[in-house]
PDB file of all heavy atoms in Angstrom:
ATOM      1  N   LYS X 217      99.222  95.453  91.770  1.00 85.00           N
ATOM      2  CA  LYS X 217      98.683  95.151  93.058  1.00 85.00           C
ATOM      3  C   LYS X 217      98.493  93.606  93.180  1.00 85.00           C
ATOM      4  O   LYS X 217      97.528  93.152  93.744  1.00 85.00           O
ATOM      5  CB  LYS X 217      97.367  95.870  93.295  1.00 85.00           C
ATOM      6  CG  LYS X 217      97.391  97.377  93.338  1.00 85.00           C
ATOM      7  CD  LYS X 217      96.020  97.985  93.592  1.00 85.00           C
ATOM      8  CE  LYS X 217      96.274  99.560  93.632  1.00 85.00           C
ATOM      9  NZ  LYS X 217      94.942 100.172  93.865  1.00 85.00           N
ATOM     10  N   GLY X 218      99.567  92.929  92.680  1.00 85.00           N
ATOM     11  CA  GLY X 218      99.588  91.524  92.839  1.00 85.00           C
ATOM     12  C   GLY X 218      98.789  90.678  91.857  1.00 85.00           C
ATOM     13  O   GLY X 218      98.749  89.388  91.748  1.00 85.00           O
ATOM     14  N   ARG X 219      97.957  91.453  90.941  1.00 92.00           N
ATOM     15  CA  ARG X 219      97.094  90.737  89.925  1.00 92.00           C
ATOM     16  C   ARG X 219      97.790  90.849  88.534  1.00 92.00           C
ATOM     17  O   ARG X 219      98.301  91.979  88.173  1.00 92.00           O
ATOM     18  CB  ARG X 219      95.869  91.259  89.922  1.00 92.00           C
ATOM     19  CG  ARG X 219      95.022  91.147  91.182  1.00 92.00           C
ATOM     20  CD  ARG X 219      93.612  91.793  91.002  1.00 92.00           C
ATOM     21  NE  ARG X 219      92.873  91.082  90.050  1.00 92.00           N
ATOM     22  CZ  ARG X 219      91.563  91.374  89.768  1.00 92.00           C
ATOM     23  NH1 ARG X 219      90.992  92.374  90.331  1.00 92.00           N
ATOM     24  NH2 ARG X 219      90.948  90.675  88.848  1.00 92.00           N
ATOM     25  N   VAL X 220      97.861  89.790  87.784  1.00 92.00           N
ATOM     26  CA  VAL X 220      98.338  89.824  86.472  1.00 92.00           C
ATOM     27  C   VAL X 220      97.501  90.677  85.518  1.00 92.00           C
ATOM     28  O   VAL X 220      96.271  90.416  85.354  1.00 92.00           O
ATOM     29  CB  VAL X 220      98.444  88.348  85.896  1.00 92.00           C
ATOM     30  CG1 VAL X 220      98.920  88.406  84.439  1.00 92.00           C
ATOM     31  CG2 VAL X 220      99.380  87.546  86.739  1.00 92.00           C
ATOM     32  N   VAL X 221      98.074  91.640  84.856  1.00 93.00           N
ATOM     33  CA  VAL X 221      97.344  92.535  83.946  1.00 93.00           C
ATOM     34  C   VAL X 221      97.756  92.249  82.445  1.00 93.00           C
ATOM     35  O   VAL X 221      97.054  92.596  81.483  1.00 93.00           O
ATOM     36  CB  VAL X 221      97.506  94.024  84.227  1.00 93.00           C
ATOM     37  CG1 VAL X 221      96.953  94.311  85.580  1.00 93.00           C
ATOM     38  CG2 VAL X 221      99.010  94.389  84.266  1.00 93.00           C
ATOM     39  N   ARG X 222      98.910  91.538  82.294  1.00 94.00           N
ATOM     40  CA  ARG X 222      99.363  91.209  80.900  1.00 94.00           C
ATOM     41  C   ARG X 222     100.328  90.075  81.080  1.00 94.00           C
ATOM     42  O   ARG X 222     101.195  90.052  81.956  1.00 94.00           O
ATOM     43  CB  ARG X 222     100.033  92.332  80.274  1.00 94.00           C
ATOM     44  CG  ARG X 222     100.309  92.068  78.782  1.00 94.00           C
ATOM     45  CD  ARG X 222     101.323  93.080  78.191  1.00 94.00           C
ATOM     46  NE  ARG X 222     102.625  93.157  78.964  1.00 94.00           N
ATOM     47  CZ  ARG X 222     103.590  92.332  78.782  1.00 94.00           C
ATOM     48  NH1 ARG X 222     103.499  91.190  77.904  1.00 94.00           N
ATOM     49  NH2 ARG X 222     104.685  92.406  79.488  1.00 94.00           N
ATOM     50  N   ALA X 223     100.165  89.019  80.190  1.00 95.00           N
ATOM     51  CA  ALA X 223     101.090  87.884  80.142  1.00 95.00           C
ATOM     52  C   ALA X 223     101.449  87.660  78.725  1.00 95.00           C
ATOM     53  O   ALA X 223     100.638  87.459  77.836  1.00 95.00           O
ATOM     54  CB  ALA X 223     100.514  86.692  80.845  1.00 95.00           C
ATOM     55  N   GLY X 224     102.795  87.599  78.437  1.00 96.00           N
ATOM     56  CA  GLY X 224     103.245  87.199  77.064  1.00 96.00           C
ATOM     57  C   GLY X 224     102.969  85.821  76.755  1.00 96.00           C
ATOM     58  O   GLY X 224     102.878  84.896  77.572  1.00 96.00           O
ATOM     59  N   GLU X 225     102.787  85.583  75.446  1.00 96.00           N
ATOM     60  CA  GLU X 225     102.466  84.264  74.948  1.00 96.00           C
ATOM     61  C   GLU X 225     103.513  83.286  75.271  1.00 96.00           C
ATOM     62  O   GLU X 225     103.377  82.014  75.216  1.00 96.00           O
ATOM     63  CB  GLU X 225     102.088  84.285  73.477  1.00 96.00           C
ATOM     64  CG  GLU X 225     103.217  84.855  72.491  1.00 96.00           C
ATOM     65  CD  GLU X 225     103.145  86.313  72.356  1.00 96.00           C
ATOM     66  OE1 GLU X 225     102.634  86.987  73.151  1.00 96.00           O
ATOM     67  OE2 GLU X 225     103.707  86.748  71.283  1.00 96.00           O
ATOM     68  N   ARG X 226     104.766  83.760  75.510  1.00 97.00           N
ATOM     69  CA  ARG X 226     105.941  82.890  75.861  1.00 97.00           C
ATOM     70  C   ARG X 226     106.440  83.250  77.206  1.00 97.00           C
ATOM     71  O   ARG X 226     107.656  83.139  77.434  1.00 97.00           O
ATOM     72  CB  ARG X 226     106.884  83.058  74.759  1.00 97.00           C
ATOM     73  CG  ARG X 226     107.980  81.917  74.648  1.00 97.00           C
ATOM     74  CD  ARG X 226     108.955  82.245  73.507  1.00 97.00           C
ATOM     75  NE  ARG X 226     110.004  81.265  73.443  1.00 97.00           N
ATOM     76  CZ  ARG X 226     111.103  81.356  72.713  1.00 97.00           C
ATOM     77  NH1 ARG X 226     111.338  82.543  72.076  1.00 97.00           N
ATOM     78  NH2 ARG X 226     111.948  80.429  72.742  1.00 97.00           N
ATOM     79  N   ALA X 227     105.600  83.632  78.131  1.00 97.00           N
ATOM     80  CA  ALA X 227     106.059  84.251  79.395  1.00 97.00           C
ATOM     81  C   ALA X 227     106.930  83.185  80.108  1.00 97.00           C
ATOM     82  O   ALA X 227     106.630  81.994  80.110  1.00 97.00           O
ATOM     83  CB  ALA X 227     104.864  84.477  80.273  1.00 97.00           C
ATOM     84  N   MET X 228     108.028  83.596  80.736  1.00 98.00           N
ATOM     85  CA  MET X 228     108.957  82.786  81.319  1.00 98.00           C
ATOM     86  C   MET X 228     108.408  81.898  82.496  1.00 98.00           C
ATOM     87  O   MET X 228     107.515  82.430  83.194  1.00 98.00           O
ATOM     88  CB  MET X 228     110.202  83.535  81.844  1.00 98.00           C
ATOM     89  CG  MET X 228     110.932  84.118  80.789  1.00 98.00           C
ATOM     90  SD  MET X 228     112.319  85.217  81.389  1.00 98.00           S
ATOM     91  CE  MET X 228     111.426  86.682  82.059  1.00 98.00           C
ATOM     92  N   VAL X 229     108.806  80.753  82.645  1.00 98.00           N
ATOM     93  CA  VAL X 229     108.308  79.771  83.735  1.00 98.00           C
ATOM     94  C   VAL X 229     109.364  79.974  84.838  1.00 98.00           C
ATOM     95  O   VAL X 229     110.607  79.872  84.636  1.00 98.00           O
ATOM     96  CB  VAL X 229     108.234  78.364  83.236  1.00 98.00           C
ATOM     97  CG1 VAL X 229     108.010  77.440  84.460  1.00 98.00           C
ATOM     98  CG2 VAL X 229     107.255  78.193  82.104  1.00 98.00           C
ATOM     99  N   ASP X 230     108.925  80.114  86.106  1.00 98.00           N
ATOM    100  CA  ASP X 230     109.775  80.313  87.198  1.00 98.00           C
ATOM    101  C   ASP X 230     109.992  78.959  87.844  1.00 98.00           C
ATOM    102  O   ASP X 230     109.170  78.446  88.572  1.00 98.00           O
ATOM    103  CB  ASP X 230     109.125  81.277  88.187  1.00 98.00           C
ATOM    104  CG  ASP X 230     110.073  81.648  89.273  1.00 98.00           C
ATOM    105  OD1 ASP X 230     111.095  81.035  89.483  1.00 98.00           O
ATOM    106  OD2 ASP X 230     109.739  82.676  90.070  1.00 98.00           O
ATOM    107  N   LEU X 231     111.243  78.443  87.664  1.00 98.00           N
ATOM    108  CA  LEU X 231     111.533  77.096  88.311  1.00 98.00           C
ATOM    109  C   LEU X 231     111.660  77.254  89.845  1.00 98.00           C
ATOM    110  O   LEU X 231     111.470  76.282  90.476  1.00 98.00           O
ATOM    111  CB  LEU X 231     112.920  76.614  87.752  1.00 98.00           C
ATOM    112  CG  LEU X 231     112.861  76.015  86.356  1.00 98.00           C
ATOM    113  CD1 LEU X 231     114.194  75.574  85.941  1.00 98.00           C
ATOM    114  CD2 LEU X 231     111.790  74.825  86.306  1.00 98.00           C
ATOM    115  N   CYS X 232     111.827  78.470  90.415  1.00 97.00           N
ATOM    116  CA  CYS X 232     111.871  78.550  91.844  1.00 97.00           C
ATOM    117  C   CYS X 232     110.449  78.228  92.412  1.00 97.00           C
ATOM    118  O   CYS X 232     110.380  77.612  93.460  1.00 97.00           O
ATOM    119  CB  CYS X 232     112.250  79.931  92.123  1.00 97.00           C
ATOM    120  SG  CYS X 232     112.549  80.202  94.043  1.00 97.00           S
ATOM    121  N   VAL X 233     109.455  78.657  91.738  1.00 96.00           N
ATOM    122  CA  VAL X 233     108.078  78.361  92.182  1.00 96.00           C
ATOM    123  C   VAL X 233     107.891  76.846  92.119  1.00 96.00           C
ATOM    124  O   VAL X 233     107.322  76.217  93.037  1.00 96.00           O
ATOM    125  CB  VAL X 233     107.065  79.071  91.265  1.00 96.00           C
ATOM    126  CG1 VAL X 233     105.652  78.579  91.685  1.00 96.00           C
ATOM    127  CG2 VAL X 233     107.174  80.502  91.376  1.00 96.00           C
ATOM    128  N   LEU X 234     108.359  76.151  91.066  1.00 97.00           N
ATOM    129  CA  LEU X 234     108.153  74.736  90.932  1.00 97.00           C
ATOM    130  C   LEU X 234     108.935  74.110  92.100  1.00 97.00           C
ATOM    131  O   LEU X 234     108.497  73.015  92.594  1.00 97.00           O
ATOM    132  CB  LEU X 234     108.770  74.349  89.554  1.00 97.00           C
ATOM    133  CG  LEU X 234     108.224  72.917  89.052  1.00 97.00           C
ATOM    134  CD1 LEU X 234     106.815  72.974  88.877  1.00 97.00           C
ATOM    135  CD2 LEU X 234     108.917  72.642  87.668  1.00 97.00           C
ATOM    136  N   ALA X 235     110.127  74.519  92.347  1.00 97.00           N
ATOM    137  CA  ALA X 235     110.880  73.927  93.628  1.00 97.00           C
ATOM    138  C   ALA X 235     110.116  74.035  94.819  1.00 97.00           C
ATOM    139  O   ALA X 235     110.105  73.167  95.680  1.00 97.00           O
ATOM    140  CB  ALA X 235     112.255  74.655  93.691  1.00 97.00           C
ATOM    141  N   ARG X 236     109.465  75.258  95.023  1.00 97.00           N
ATOM    142  CA  ARG X 236     108.756  75.512  96.283  1.00 97.00           C
ATOM    143  C   ARG X 236     107.587  74.605  96.454  1.00 97.00           C
ATOM    144  O   ARG X 236     107.172  74.105  97.531  1.00 97.00           O
ATOM    145  CB  ARG X 236     108.375  76.963  96.420  1.00 97.00           C
ATOM    146  CG  ARG X 236     107.761  77.336  97.666  1.00 97.00           C
ATOM    147  CD  ARG X 236     107.522  78.878  97.827  1.00 97.00           C
ATOM    148  NE  ARG X 236     106.372  79.366  97.003  1.00 97.00           N
ATOM    149  CZ  ARG X 236     106.526  80.110  95.989  1.00 97.00           C
ATOM    150  NH1 ARG X 236     107.758  80.569  95.593  1.00 97.00           N
ATOM    151  NH2 ARG X 236     105.438  80.544  95.261  1.00 97.00           N
ATOM    152  N   LYS X 237     106.858  74.270  95.314  1.00 97.00           N
ATOM    153  CA  LYS X 237     105.676  73.532  95.265  1.00 97.00           C
ATOM    154  C   LYS X 237     105.840  72.020  95.237  1.00 97.00           C
ATOM    155  O   LYS X 237     105.067  71.257  95.828  1.00 97.00           O
ATOM    156  CB  LYS X 237     104.785  73.926  94.045  1.00 97.00           C
ATOM    157  CG  LYS X 237     104.248  75.338  94.098  1.00 97.00           C
ATOM    158  CD  LYS X 237     103.101  75.474  95.168  1.00 97.00           C
ATOM    159  CE  LYS X 237     102.422  76.689  95.159  1.00 97.00           C
ATOM    160  NZ  LYS X 237     101.335  76.924  96.142  1.00 97.00           N
ATOM    161  N   ALA X 238     106.980  71.597  94.616  1.00 97.00           N
ATOM    162  CA  ALA X 238     107.033  70.165  94.328  1.00 97.00           C
ATOM    163  C   ALA X 238     108.289  69.476  94.965  1.00 97.00           C
ATOM    164  O   ALA X 238     108.415  68.268  94.980  1.00 97.00           O
ATOM    165  CB  ALA X 238     107.083  69.970  92.841  1.00 97.00           C
ATOM    166  N   TYR X 239     109.248  70.235  95.636  1.00 98.00           N
ATOM    167  CA  TYR X 239     110.507  69.644  96.011  1.00 98.00           C
ATOM    168  C   TYR X 239     110.923  70.080  97.393  1.00 98.00           C
ATOM    169  O   TYR X 239     110.806  71.366  97.682  1.00 98.00           O
ATOM    170  CB  TYR X 239     111.631  69.930  94.972  1.00 98.00           C
ATOM    171  CG  TYR X 239     113.024  69.448  95.332  1.00 98.00           C
ATOM    172  CD1 TYR X 239     113.332  68.115  95.283  1.00 98.00           C
ATOM    173  CD2 TYR X 239     114.031  70.305  95.843  1.00 98.00           C
ATOM    174  CE1 TYR X 239     114.570  67.636  95.600  1.00 98.00           C
ATOM    175  CE2 TYR X 239     115.248  69.843  96.230  1.00 98.00           C
ATOM    176  CZ  TYR X 239     115.568  68.492  96.036  1.00 98.00           C
ATOM    177  OH  TYR X 239     116.769  68.025  96.472  1.00 98.00           O
ATOM    178  N   PHE X 240     111.373  69.122  98.270  1.00 97.00           N
ATOM    179  CA  PHE X 240     111.938  69.462  99.563  1.00 97.00           C
ATOM    180  C   PHE X 240     113.005  68.395  99.888  1.00 97.00           C
ATOM    181  O   PHE X 240     112.759  67.323  99.759  1.00 97.00           O
ATOM    182  CB  PHE X 240     110.826  69.471 100.669  1.00 97.00           C
ATOM    183  CG  PHE X 240     111.452  69.847 102.048  1.00 97.00           C
ATOM    184  CD1 PHE X 240     111.445  71.095 102.436  1.00 97.00           C
ATOM    185  CD2 PHE X 240     112.007  68.857 102.782  1.00 97.00           C
ATOM    186  CE1 PHE X 240     112.093  71.406 103.614  1.00 97.00           C
ATOM    187  CE2 PHE X 240     112.594  69.163 104.015  1.00 97.00           C
ATOM    188  CZ  PHE X 240     112.614  70.410 104.471  1.00 97.00           C
ATOM    189  N   HIS X 241     114.090  69.026 100.181  1.00 97.00           N
ATOM    190  CA  HIS X 241     115.277  68.246 100.671  1.00 97.00           C
ATOM    191  C   HIS X 241     115.736  68.840 101.936  1.00 97.00           C
ATOM    192  O   HIS X 241     115.935  70.016 102.119  1.00 97.00           O
ATOM    193  CB  HIS X 241     116.392  68.275  99.680  1.00 97.00           C
ATOM    194  CG  HIS X 241     117.456  67.185  99.871  1.00 97.00           C
ATOM    195  ND1 HIS X 241     118.382  67.364 101.021  1.00 97.00           N
ATOM    196  CD2 HIS X 241     117.801  66.007  99.237  1.00 97.00           C
ATOM    197  CE1 HIS X 241     119.184  66.264 101.018  1.00 97.00           C
ATOM    198  NE2 HIS X 241     118.870  65.470  99.942  1.00 97.00           N
ATOM    199  N   PRO X 242     116.022  67.997 103.017  1.00 96.00           N
ATOM    200  CA  PRO X 242     116.322  68.561 104.354  1.00 96.00           C
ATOM    201  C   PRO X 242     117.561  69.347 104.255  1.00 96.00           C
ATOM    202  O   PRO X 242     117.770  70.258 105.131  1.00 96.00           O
ATOM    203  CB  PRO X 242     116.521  67.265 105.283  1.00 96.00           C
ATOM    204  CG  PRO X 242     116.546  66.185 104.286  1.00 96.00           C
ATOM    205  CD  PRO X 242     115.858  66.562 103.083  1.00 96.00           C
ATOM    206  N   GLN X 243     118.482  69.142 103.359  1.00 95.00           N
ATOM    207  CA  GLN X 243     119.709  69.980 103.245  1.00 95.00           C
ATOM    208  C   GLN X 243     119.524  71.397 102.932  1.00 95.00           C
ATOM    209  O   GLN X 243     120.244  72.260 103.340  1.00 95.00           O
ATOM    210  CB  GLN X 243     120.596  69.275 102.220  1.00 95.00           C
ATOM    211  CG  GLN X 243     121.896  69.921 102.140  1.00 95.00           C
ATOM    212  CD  GLN X 243     122.825  69.262 101.031  1.00 95.00           C
ATOM    213  OE1 GLN X 243     122.741  68.048 100.780  1.00 95.00           O
ATOM    214  NE2 GLN X 243     123.634  70.144 100.290  1.00 95.00           N
ATOM    215  N   THR X 244     118.334  71.736 102.308  1.00 96.00           N
ATOM    216  CA  THR X 244     118.064  73.074 101.932  1.00 96.00           C
ATOM    217  C   THR X 244     117.514  73.816 103.080  1.00 96.00           C
ATOM    218  O   THR X 244     117.397  74.993 103.032  1.00 96.00           O
ATOM    219  CB  THR X 244     117.022  73.131 100.796  1.00 96.00           C
ATOM    220  OG1 THR X 244     115.798  72.565 101.254  1.00 96.00           O
ATOM    221  CG2 THR X 244     117.531  72.265  99.543  1.00 96.00           C
ATOM    222  N   LYS X 245     117.086  73.237 104.172  1.00 94.00           N
ATOM    223  CA  LYS X 245     116.355  73.789 105.354  1.00 94.00           C
ATOM    224  C   LYS X 245     115.191  74.626 104.920  1.00 94.00           C
ATOM    225  O   LYS X 245     114.904  75.703 105.354  1.00 94.00           O
ATOM    226  CB  LYS X 245     117.425  74.705 106.070  1.00 94.00           C
ATOM    227  CG  LYS X 245     118.496  73.851 106.673  1.00 94.00           C
ATOM    228  CD  LYS X 245     119.372  74.747 107.545  1.00 94.00           C
ATOM    229  CE  LYS X 245     120.502  73.864 108.205  1.00 94.00           C
ATOM    230  NZ  LYS X 245     121.554  74.719 109.015  1.00 94.00           N
ATOM    231  N   GLY X 246     114.501  74.176 103.964  1.00 95.00           N
ATOM    232  CA  GLY X 246     113.257  74.805 103.484  1.00 95.00           C
ATOM    233  C   GLY X 246     113.511  75.810 102.329  1.00 95.00           C
ATOM    234  O   GLY X 246     112.633  76.243 101.601  1.00 95.00           O
ATOM    235  N   SER X 247     114.786  76.326 102.148  1.00 95.00           N
ATOM    236  CA  SER X 247     114.996  77.396 101.124  1.00 95.00           C
ATOM    237  C   SER X 247     114.746  76.819  99.754  1.00 95.00           C
ATOM    238  O   SER X 247     115.055  75.645  99.439  1.00 95.00           O
ATOM    239  CB  SER X 247     116.539  77.815 101.318  1.00 95.00           C
ATOM    240  OG  SER X 247     116.826  78.640 100.296  1.00 95.00           O
ATOM    241  N   CYS X 248     114.431  77.781  98.905  1.00 95.00           N
ATOM    242  CA  CYS X 248     114.294  77.414  97.434  1.00 95.00           C
ATOM    243  C   CYS X 248     115.365  78.073  96.590  1.00 95.00           C
ATOM    244  O   CYS X 248     115.236  78.095  95.420  1.00 95.00           O
ATOM    245  CB  CYS X 248     113.003  77.750  96.937  1.00 95.00           C
ATOM    246  SG  CYS X 248     111.621  76.824  97.803  1.00 95.00           S
ATOM    247  N   SER X 249     116.330  78.711  97.223  1.00 93.00           N
ATOM    248  CA  SER X 249     117.463  79.314  96.634  1.00 93.00           C
ATOM    249  C   SER X 249     118.156  78.260  95.702  1.00 93.00           C
ATOM    250  O   SER X 249     118.450  77.196  96.095  1.00 93.00           O
ATOM    251  CB  SER X 249     118.382  79.946  97.551  1.00 93.00           C
ATOM    252  OG  SER X 249     119.739  80.233  96.962  1.00 93.00           O
ATOM    253  N   ILE X 250     118.503  78.727  94.478  1.00 95.00           N
ATOM    254  CA  ILE X 250     119.208  77.773  93.608  1.00 95.00           C
ATOM    255  C   ILE X 250     120.568  77.342  94.193  1.00 95.00           C
ATOM    256  O   ILE X 250     121.149  76.226  94.003  1.00 95.00           O
ATOM    257  CB  ILE X 250     119.395  78.429  92.183  1.00 95.00           C
ATOM    258  CG1 ILE X 250     119.707  77.328  91.186  1.00 95.00           C
ATOM    259  CG2 ILE X 250     120.484  79.534  92.173  1.00 95.00           C
ATOM    260  CD1 ILE X 250     119.689  77.752  89.743  1.00 95.00           C
ATOM    261  N   LYS X 251     121.125  78.223  94.956  1.00 92.00           N
ATOM    262  CA  LYS X 251     122.464  77.976  95.648  1.00 92.00           C
ATOM    263  C   LYS X 251     122.331  76.818  96.763  1.00 92.00           C
ATOM    264  O   LYS X 251     123.312  76.309  97.213  1.00 92.00           O
ATOM    265  CB  LYS X 251     123.070  79.204  96.273  1.00 92.00           C
ATOM    266  CG  LYS X 251     123.276  80.259  95.192  1.00 92.00           C
ATOM    267  CD  LYS X 251     124.368  79.914  94.113  1.00 92.00           C
ATOM    268  CE  LYS X 251     124.457  80.842  92.945  1.00 92.00           C
ATOM    269  NZ  LYS X 251     124.937  82.212  93.409  1.00 92.00           N
ATOM    270  N   LYS X 252     121.073  76.633  97.218  1.00 94.00           N
ATOM    271  CA  LYS X 252     120.811  75.550  98.161  1.00 94.00           C
ATOM    272  C   LYS X 252     120.224  74.344  97.580  1.00 94.00           C
ATOM    273  O   LYS X 252     120.550  73.173  97.985  1.00 94.00           O
ATOM    274  CB  LYS X 252     119.791  76.149  99.262  1.00 94.00           C
ATOM    275  CG  LYS X 252     120.250  77.330 100.043  1.00 94.00           C
ATOM    276  CD  LYS X 252     121.420  76.904 101.020  1.00 94.00           C
ATOM    277  CE  LYS X 252     121.891  78.210 101.864  1.00 94.00           C
ATOM    278  NZ  LYS X 252     120.828  78.651 102.785  1.00 94.00           N
ATOM    279  N   VAL X 253     119.472  74.506  96.530  1.00 97.00           N
ATOM    280  CA  VAL X 253     118.788  73.421  95.914  1.00 97.00           C
ATOM    281  C   VAL X 253     119.866  72.545  95.125  1.00 97.00           C
ATOM    282  O   VAL X 253     119.822  71.330  95.097  1.00 97.00           O
ATOM    283  CB  VAL X 253     117.628  73.809  94.997  1.00 97.00           C
ATOM    284  CG1 VAL X 253     117.111  72.604  94.227  1.00 97.00           C
ATOM    285  CG2 VAL X 253     116.485  74.481  95.763  1.00 97.00           C
ATOM    286  N   LEU X 254     120.828  73.306  94.414  1.00 97.00           N
ATOM    287  CA  LEU X 254     121.739  72.514  93.548  1.00 97.00           C
ATOM    288  C   LEU X 254     122.522  71.573  94.326  1.00 97.00           C
ATOM    289  O   LEU X 254     122.714  70.372  94.006  1.00 97.00           O
ATOM    290  CB  LEU X 254     122.592  73.499  92.765  1.00 97.00           C
ATOM    291  CG  LEU X 254     123.686  72.909  91.959  1.00 97.00           C
ATOM    292  CD1 LEU X 254     123.117  72.031  90.870  1.00 97.00           C
ATOM    293  CD2 LEU X 254     124.640  73.938  91.314  1.00 97.00           C
ATOM    294  N   PRO X 255     123.237  71.983  95.531  1.00 97.00           N
ATOM    295  CA  PRO X 255     123.955  70.968  96.249  1.00 97.00           C
ATOM    296  C   PRO X 255     123.173  69.758  96.695  1.00 97.00           C
ATOM    297  O   PRO X 255     123.679  68.637  96.772  1.00 97.00           O
ATOM    298  CB  PRO X 255     124.542  71.763  97.405  1.00 97.00           C
ATOM    299  CG  PRO X 255     124.523  73.207  96.922  1.00 97.00           C
ATOM    300  CD  PRO X 255     123.374  73.349  96.065  1.00 97.00           C
TER     301      PRO X 255
END
């Protein structure tokens, strides 16, 4: 239900979340898709 109940000690970091929070380029039109961010 949206709440973390278990997290591994080496849980993967989501770079898409990082892109959404820290990066904006007008070419992406707001999208955080890797296919838009890379170009």
Side-chain angles (χ1 to χ4, degrees):
K217 298 180 179 180
R219 299 182 62 182
V220 175
V221 295
R222 184 194 61 78
E225 59 270 25
R226 201 183 176 191
M228 293 176 286
V229 175
D230 189 346
L231 282 179
C232 185
V233 173
L234 202 58
R236 187 171 73 247
K237 291 288 188 180
Y239 176 77
F240 179 90
H241 192 291
Q243 183 179 327
T244 67
K245 297 183 178 180
S247 171
C248 300
S249 163
I250 197 169
K251 300 294 173 61
K252 298 291 181 63
V253 175
L254 178 61

